[in-house]
């Protein structure tokens, strides 16, 4: 799962002004037309930046995304705990 906050370089408590500012800065930096040497990398980054801003700038989308992100992070924490328990059993 993509972390839109990481893509934009923001904390999860960022406000709309911070999101829009990060979007403007990064969309200029990674715009494919301004970086013709590596079209795929910059095109993909530009797409991810746009997607992140689109979701995080919409209050309803952001709320749904935040819930999904939290569930995703909780699953990884559960896996880490299970792996740690297995490692302790092996030792």
């Amino acid at each position: 799962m993509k972390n839109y906050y990481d893509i934009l370089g923001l904390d999860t408590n960022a406000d709309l002004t911070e999101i829009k500012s990060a979007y403007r800065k990064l969309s200029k930096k990674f715009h494919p037309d301004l970086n013709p040497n590596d079209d795929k990398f910059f095109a993909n980054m530009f797409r991810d930046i746009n997607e992140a801003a689109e979701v995080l700038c919409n209050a309803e989308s952001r709320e749904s995304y935040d819930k999904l992100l939290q569930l995703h992070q909780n699953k990884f924490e559960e896996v880490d705990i299970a792996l740690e328990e297995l490692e302790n059993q092996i030792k």
Side-chain angles (χ1 to χ4, degrees), residues 35-67:
N35 298 285
N37 295 337
D38 190 355
D39 292 342
K40 283 191 175 187
F41 172 76
F42 289 100
N44 290 336
M45 284 298 297
F46 188 71
R47 185 189 69 239
D48 288 348
I49 291 163
N50 280 308
E51 186 179 304
E54 185 177 320
V55 170
L56 297 180
C57 284
N58 178 296
E60 289 178 23
S61 296
R62 183 176 181 178
E63 183 179 346
S64 297
Y65 173 77
D66 286 346
K67 288 177 184 175

